[in-house]
Amino acid sequence: MSIVSALHAARLPVDASAHGPALDRQLLLSLWIVLALFTLAHVILLGGLAARRHHPQKSVWQIEYLPLVALAALFAVLTIRAERLWAATRYTGASLTALQVEVTGVQFAWYFRYPGVDGTFGRVRPELVAPGEGNPLGLDPADSHSADDVVSSQLMLPVGREVDLAIRSQDVIHGFSVPEMRLKQNAVPGETIHIHFTPTKTGTYAILCTQVCGLGHYRMNANLRVVTPEEFDSWLAAREKAVQR
Amino acid sequence: MTLTSLRRRVFSTDHHVIGVEYLLLALTAVVIGTTLSLLMRIHLVWPDWQLPLHGPILPEDYLAMVTIHGTVMLFFVLTTAPQAGFGNLILPAQIGSRRMAFPVLNAMSFWLTAVALVVLLSSTFVPGGSPISGWTAYPPLSAVASAGPGQAMGMDLWLASIALFGIAATISSINTLVTIIKLRCDGMTWERMPLTVWGWFTAALLSVIAFSVLLAAILLLFCDRHAGTSFFLPAGDLVNGTLHVAHKGANGSPLLWLHLFWFFGHPEVYIAILPGFGVTSMLLANFSFRRVFGYRIMIATTLLIGLLGILLWGHHMFVAGLNPFAASAFSVTTMAIAVPASAKVLSWIATTWRSRPSYKTAMLFSLGFVSLFIAGGLTGPILAQPILDEYLHNTFFVVAHFHLIMAMAAVFGLYAATYYWFPLMTGRMMSERLGRWHFWLTLVGAYATFLPMHLTGLAGEPRHYAQLAGIPNAAGVMLARLVPLNRFITYSALFLATAQLVFLWNVVRSLRRGAVATENPWMATTLEWHPALHPRHSAAMGEPIAVHRQPCQYAATPSGETFLPQWVPDTLADTTTEAAFDTKPE
């Protein structure tokens, strides 16, 4: 009973992104193929050990090369399918109309920045970073674009709109991961890495850190809240108003 | 013990002594590494449990355990035992040599390895404790002392230890290569070399290439830590409120470390498993009383796996920030290695197919190796797909994948080797009854521990998490669900570890009271069983050694089953051709 419920709990999380269903199909296809090959190999291995009757040895072609060609073809098909999906999500950037959000990993928190009414991210300078004074990203007040930037500790997104994430890190390598969006990308200090996706279901989802980043690694997480476009607009407007006070 | 006997027994240049010393070192290391893994498993599901004499396990303690567990197991167990341990004990005899090419270097590389282990473990006792950045030591976490506890002197000791280990492994591998190339006896052509020797040869080639790159990387990281360089640190990196002024202006990248580290790190796993391939191939043939199916193919696939093994490091970096086109290229090379690996599995199956083998414990562990290698290897093509790695990277699915191969298949290879060569080394047989208990308990424990990890990984459980319960936000809800299955995994791990006591008891008991072994108890055909090369008979030392055929030649004669060792000149007049020994007729 407990084992059954334990197994029940361990299943793929909800899939709430536009590119996710295709990824899940490829994952499940791969898992079934692997399970079938595992079973087949063991049936043949154990069958061969159990069989008694002598059989004239088949040629290398029949036992080695033909199965090998079949396996190679199978792996090739999986590779091509996987590459097409990878290319679809990663070979090109987000569309120009995508919502821009910057993600910053810091030991041990995620910060999310929206460019504000001017639509441009302001400059940040590491020497200005002061979490205690409400400036965890080091926004430069000298840059006019910084003044209206909205910094949040949760990632708020409107459902159904593509989002372009610019992922960076302030200190060490972190792993930005949203299992329910089938999304993962390391945040590497010194680099800004873009990924894009479209959330398709409203709800609250987990953002984890998946690259060991220090002693608080396991509790470095945040919430992703996917809300209706109206809720998002009013949330963002309220935040923008607050920073321009 | 007098000084002379101390020098002879402890600081010996005899490859048998050095081989045993390596195995004892690996045994010490595996006990440490296993204990740490059990503490981690226990802490993961009962986070409030207090470690006796230590108190609560803090997050930094957990990560220090992860780091030392990984480092000890990868380097001091899986690189040391199969390659340096059994390589020293068996390799020279298998090519008809009485010694390794460089005996003094051989002893030196062992003692450097021992010092490296001591240096590594000493990091527990310095301020801050052992490093917390895992065995992969990604900078800036590993490059900046203030990035976490253990990242100051503990990290320096880690770097020193791995540098020493790398030097030792390089020396040892050069010794192995020269021994194989120069000291083969008459008639030991490359094609007649046992597949174990091919495994050691390829692993040694990889070691020389990979460890030299690791050494360079460690030197660069050390300079970043202490000489103000910034190979791996970008400009303006702000760790723990401190801007790294010394590195200001220069703009390095942590990705350089990832490239250098994984250029070493991926071949490293083949260094660990290639000797296991060799042992398995030879033992399956021996106990099946058959030739190895497709001997030349097996040699080719060993070399091909070695070659491809150094071309696919980037599959560890699909989500690290590489150009996505690079991910595609590394995906293809990674998938490609599935082909020679599959060829090996096919050959193993064909070798045992309807052979009515003798199920000695060594054979059981070889079959277990095949099973676990299939189980762990098949998830490789899944992880090789960048789009799936985007979901699975750094989850327990990956942990399950490499533990089935590295922690279990490789260790099954070591067990097979131990049961097989124990009579050669000690003159006594190990208990078959205890051996069978050991095998079945270990096999069940291995699958019960590592198969469910695939499920927790698919459900999204990340690696390196000190705790699953009591975490805030949506992440806490997601992770708390996985505690029950993790509890089952922890019970299985405890069961698996306990089962190994049967093995230790078997070794201790058999050393004293095991049945006395005959000269060639398994009817083996390879040279280490040659009377004149026997490690414990030095009487026939002068006898010249020559090889007349490939290993694994067997036949059935009217008087029963016959094996034709490599060193015996053709005495069976009616079965002179190798083809006649191809299969066992009905």
Side-chain angles (χ1 to χ4, degrees):
Chain A
M1 162 57 198
S2 70
I3 245 313
V4 173
S5 59
L7 286 172
H8 189 65
R11 60 181 192 278
L12 278 178
V14 177
D15 189 337
S17 69
H19 74 278
L23 189 158
D24 283 5
R25 276 196 299 277
Q26 175 75 2
L27 178 59
L28 289 174
L29 173 71
S30 300
L31 284 168
W32 282 115
I33 288 176
V34 158
L35 193 64
L37 288 177
F38 175 79
T39 312
L40 186 68
H42 278 78
V43 165
I44 297 174
L45 178 69
L46 296 175
L49 290 170
R52 296 271 155 185
R53 195 169 55 81
H54 177 71
H55 201 269
Q57 189 79 285
K58 289 194 169 114
S59 74
V60 180
W61 266 103
Q62 284 168 298
I63 305 175
E64 185 99 14
Y65 294 132
L66 281 180
L68 216 50
V69 168
L71 283 171
L74 186 62
F75 294 140
V77 168
L78 280 181
T79 311
I80 291 165
R81 282 180 57 109
E83 290 302 338
R84 290 172 64 94
L85 294 176
W86 177 251
T89 59
R90 294 275 186 145
Y91 274 18
T92 54
S95 72
L96 291 173
T97 55
L99 175 70
Q100 302 290 320
V101 185
E102 183 204 64
V103 180
T104 306
V106 182
Q107 287 178 325
F108 301 98
W110 291 109
Y111 291 104
F112 307 96
R113 182 158 66 129
Y114 299 78
V117 281
D118 67 354
T120 309
F121 289 112
R123 190 165 60 222
V124 289
R125 286 169 55 200
E127 53 274 25
L128 296 177
V129 167
E133 293 156 32
N135 191 7
L137 298 180
L139 293 179
D140 186 353
D143 182 4
S144 61
H145 295 305
S146 296
D148 62 346
D149 284 5
V150 169
V151 178
S152 167
S153 59
Q154 66 174 340
L155 177 57
M156 187 74 91
L157 295 177
V159 69
R161 179 172 171 195
E162 189 178 26
V163 52
D164 179 12
L165 295 178
I167 299 176
R168 49 187 287 273
S169 163
Q170 207 172 72
D171 42 31
V172 302
I173 301 179
H174 300 278
F176 177 79
S177 164
V178 196
E180 274 119 340
M181 298 292 152
R182 306 295 189 263
L183 214 61
K184 190 172 289 153
Q185 175 58 55
N186 281 5
V188 183
E191 321 240 342
T192 302
I193 300 159
H194 283 263
I195 56 171
H196 57 97
F197 72 106
T198 308
T200 55
K201 290 192 181 100
T202 55
T204 303
Y205 307 111
I207 297 172
L208 306 170
C209 176
T210 53
Q211 186 64 58
V212 62
C213 61
L215 59 91
H217 167 58
Y218 72 103
R219 55 185 158 79
M220 176 168 170
N221 62 56
N223 280 347
L224 160 61
R225 286 192 57 207
V226 178
V227 295
T228 60
E230 297 76 37
E231 279 179 88
F232 175 76
D233 288 342
S234 60
W235 175 84
L236 190 62
R239 299 295 298 253
E240 282 169 349
K241 210 170 158 192
V243 292
Q244 278 167 342
R245 193 159 24 97
Chain B
M1 202 186 275
T2 64
L3 203 64
T4 337
S5 80
L6 182 83
R7 203 163 59 206
R8 204 172 51 232
R9 286 180 185 201
V10 179
F11 296 103
S12 170
T13 54
D14 176 9
H15 63 96
H16 292 118
V17 177
I18 294 170
V20 171
E21 285 173 340
Y22 266 120
L23 289 185
L24 290 175
L25 178 98
L27 188 64
T28 313
V30 82
V31 169
I32 295 167
T34 306
T35 309
L36 289 176
S37 69
L38 295 178
L39 292 176
M40 278 146 55
R41 284 304 322 173
I42 290 168
H43 178 71
L44 199 57
V45 295
W46 297 291
D48 298 328
W49 180 74
Q50 306 233 339
L51 179 62
L53 305 174
H54 176 87
I57 295 173
L58 303 173
E60 56 267 40
D61 299 334
Y62 183 84
L63 287 177
M65 287 181 192
V66 170
T67 307
I68 300 297
H69 165 79
T71 311
V72 155
M73 290 301 206
L74 246 304
F75 292 99
F76 295 93
V77 181
L78 293 172
T79 309
T80 298
Q83 181 72 5
F86 284 108
N88 263 304
L89 277 169
I90 305 302
L91 183 150
Q94 279 202 338
I95 55 168
S97 166
R98 292 186 172 90
R99 61 185 190 91
M100 292 290 280
F102 307 118
V104 179
L105 278 186
N106 203 10
M108 190 177 110
S109 61
F110 169 74
W111 287 106
L112 276 178
T113 309
V115 171
L117 181 60
V118 172
V119 170
L120 179 71
L121 297 178
S122 69
S123 68
T124 314
F125 306 104
V126 298
S130 301
I132 61 170
S133 45
W135 86 285
T136 54
Y138 283 3
L141 186 57
S142 61
V144 177
S146 63
Q151 299 305 92
M153 197 190 283
M155 191 67 220
D156 284 326
L157 289 171
W158 188 88
L159 288 173
S161 166
I162 302 310
L164 283 173
F165 187 92
I167 294 167
T170 307
I171 294 173
S172 169
S173 303
I174 290 170
N175 198 357
T176 302
L177 291 174
V178 175
T179 305
I180 295 171
I181 293 167
K182 300 293 284 183
L183 298 185
R184 282 170 295 135
C185 67
D186 284 348
M188 180 58 83
T189 61
W190 290 92
E191 258 184 81
R192 286 175 179 172
M193 262 180 11
L195 291 170
T196 29
V197 179
W198 275 109
W200 287 316
F201 180 79
T202 314
L205 274 179
L206 289 181
S207 290
V208 171
I209 296 167
F211 274 104
S212 57
V213 174
L214 179 70
L215 270 170
I218 282 177
L219 200 64
L220 299 186
L221 185 54
F222 195 82
C223 289
D224 272 12
R225 289 172 60 81
H226 297 292
T229 60
S230 55
F231 294 106
F232 307 125
L233 284 174
D237 202 40
L238 179 77
V239 181
N240 215 348
T242 312
L243 254 184
H244 287 276
V245 185
H247 311 285
K248 214 171 167 184
N251 201 356
S253 171
L255 287 177
L256 174 60
W257 170 268
L258 268 69
H259 279 293
L260 294 173
F261 181 84
W262 286 117
F263 184 84
F264 150 79
H266 202 84
E268 163 64 26
V269 307
Y270 292 103
I271 292 168
I273 201 76
L274 278 163
F277 286 160
V279 168
T280 299
S281 302
M282 298 309 284
L283 265 58
L284 289 179
N286 188 171
F287 290 104
S288 300
F289 230 64
R290 274 261 180 89
R291 284 221 292 189
V292 175
F293 181 83
Y295 205 82
R296 283 188 193 180
I297 299 172
M298 285 303 243
I299 295 172
T301 52
T302 302
L303 290 168
L304 196 57
I305 286 172
L307 175 71
L308 288 171
I310 52 176
L311 296 179
L312 45 72
W313 75 91
H315 70 213
H316 296 268
M317 301 165 69
F318 287 157
V319 296
L322 287 194
N323 184 318
F325 292 93
S328 297
F330 283 120
S331 166
V332 171
T333 51
T334 306
M335 279 289 194
I337 211 165
V339 176
S342 304
K344 284 211 173 293
V345 173
L346 289 170
S347 162
W348 291 328
I349 291 176
T351 301
T352 56
W353 179 254
R354 289 182 166 170
S355 64
R356 284 168 290 153
S358 142
Y359 293 106
K360 300 290 186 204
T361 307
M363 176 65 171
L364 291 176
F365 273 103
S366 298
L367 289 168
F369 178 100
V370 176
S371 170
L372 290 161
F373 179 72
I374 294 170
L378 275 171
T379 45
I382 294 184
L383 292 166
Q385 302 172 32
I387 188 74
L388 300 186
D389 187 64
E390 177 163 2
Y391 181 66
L392 297 169
H393 187 80
N394 273 359
T395 65
F396 261 76
F397 192 88
V398 179
V399 177
H401 161 73
F402 74 78
H403 275 81
L404 277 172
I405 300 181
M406 306 292 295
M408 294 326 304
V411 167
F412 271 49
L414 288 173
Y415 279 136
T418 307
Y419 282 96
Y420 185 71
W421 284 312
F422 193 84
L424 189 71
M425 294 302 130
T426 65
R428 290 180 188 274
M429 309 292 286
M430 285 180 79
S431 158
E432 283 291 324
R433 202 168 63 88
L434 286 174
R436 274 194 297 276
W437 273 103
H438 175 217
F439 169 75
W440 287 109
L441 293 176
T442 308
L443 189 73
V444 170
Y447 274 123
T449 305
F450 296 111
L451 280 185
M453 285 185 189
H454 292 100
L455 297 175
T456 67
L458 284 169
E461 183 187 350
R463 298 165 69 179
H464 300 131
Y465 268 32
Q467 240 169 275
L468 297 174
I471 291 172
N473 293 336
V477 181
M478 179 183 177
L479 296 173
R481 283 201 329 231
L482 301 172
V483 173
L485 191 55
N486 269 291
R487 214 172 280 142
F488 172 80
I489 296 172
T490 299
Y491 286 131
S492 302
L494 289 167
F495 171 83
L496 175 61
T498 311
Q500 306 318 303
L501 297 176
V502 179
F503 170 74
L504 291 177
W505 168 239
N506 197 354
V507 169
V508 172
R509 187 185 162 280
S510 303
L511 275 174
R512 290 155 173 253
R513 298 198 283 132
V516 175
T518 55
E519 202 160 70
N520 189 353
W522 315 120
M523 300 198 274
T525 58
T526 41
L527 277 180
E528 76 271 25
W529 302 94
H530 190 300
L533 287 166
H534 220 276
R536 289 166 310 101
H537 304 174
S538 44
M541 277 299 265
E543 201 178 304
I545 315 284
V547 161
H548 303 277
R549 62 187 65 76
Q550 280 194 345
C552 310
Q553 307 293 319
Y554 302 94
T557 60
S559 55
E561 284 160 344
T562 304
F563 64 110
L564 201 49
Q566 285 186 284
W567 65 86
V568 175
D570 289 331
T571 50
L572 306 165
D574 55 337
T575 50
T576 44
T577 59
E578 292 190 350
F581 282 82
D582 199 5
T583 55
K584 181 167 61 175
E586 187 64 4

